[in-house]
Amino acid sequence: EALVDGFEEPIKILDCLFARPVENWGSAFAEDRDFFTRHLPDKKLEVQLADLDKFTEQVGWAHAISIRGGETDALIGSLNKNTGWQKELHDKTLAGSSAGADAIAKYYYDLDNLELKEGMGLLPVKVLVHYRSDYNASNVDWNKAYSELKDYKENIPILALAEGQFEVRVK
């Protein structure tokens, strides 16, 4: 509901799966479209799969952009191949899950490589996703990860998000 709050119908959702292998986009998009329809049964929705070649145009079309998880570096690389899409975000909802949250944050803790990295800086926050979950559990020291992220560069809010947890930020 937070993703589509305040928009007139039909609500246009852009589903960005750039963090995943392209051969999985079809099935993941079908799952996402079903998810949106099931959880927003009283809303008239139009859902599009993001296309690398038309992404900036699609962001302009959408009310809400959902950026799914997967490989953060691949996601940021794909997003950076498109120019001007960030300028199209005015009055839109931008949501990121897992790698999507990492990508839109200013800084994040990379749970696979156990290091601090810079995101795209679309939101002035530091992100630690899958917080205290079993994600890479044998290798992640959650207290150390949080502490390192807290001390990294500038003093901005930290979003330590457990599985299923989200936070709404208004810019």
Side-chain angles (χ1 to χ4, degrees), residues 55-56 59 79 82-89 94 120 122:
F55 188 65
T56 301
V59 171
L79 291 172
N82 290 273
T83 57
W85 69 271
Q86 297 95 328
K87 294 176 185 162
E88 299 290 331
L89 292 174
L94 179 63
M120 299 183 75
L122 298 172

Side-chain angles (χ1 to χ4, degrees), residues 64-111:
I65 300 93
S66 174
I67 304 177
R68 287 276 304 271
E71 295 292 328
T72 305
D73 291 337
L75 172 60
I76 291 173
S78 293
L79 291 172
N80 281 332
K81 287 179 184 173
N82 290 273
T83 57
W85 69 271
Q86 297 95 328
K87 294 176 185 162
E88 299 290 331
L89 292 174
H90 184 69
D91 291 333
K92 300 183 186 287
T93 299
L94 179 63
S97 62
S98 192
D102 289 345
I104 65 177
K106 188 155 189 184
Y107 308 108
Y108 67 96
Y109 190 87
D110 182 332
L111 295 171

Side-chain angles (χ1 to χ4, degrees), residues 107-128:
Y107 308 108
Y108 67 96
Y109 190 87
D110 182 332
L111 295 171
D112 295 315
N113 298 303
L114 307 178
E115 62 186 3
L116 299 159
K117 291 191 173 180
E118 292 193 17
M120 299 183 75
L122 298 172
L123 292 176
V125 296
K126 298 175 181 180
V127 172
L128 181 55

Side-chain angles (χ1 to χ4, degrees), residues 1 26-27 36 42 58 92 95 97 107 114 135 148 152:
E1 291 177 5
S27 60
F36 293 133
D42 299 329
Q58 288 178 306
K92 300 183 186 287
S97 62
Y107 308 108
L114 307 178
Y135 187 98
E148 286 181 10
Y152 190 64

Side-chain angles (χ1 to χ4, degrees), residues 46-62:
E46 293 179 16
V47 185
Q48 278 189 17
L49 174 62
D51 181 316
L52 281 166
D53 297 325
K54 301 187 295 186
F55 188 65
T56 301
E57 177 185 320
Q58 288 178 306
V59 171
W61 165 85

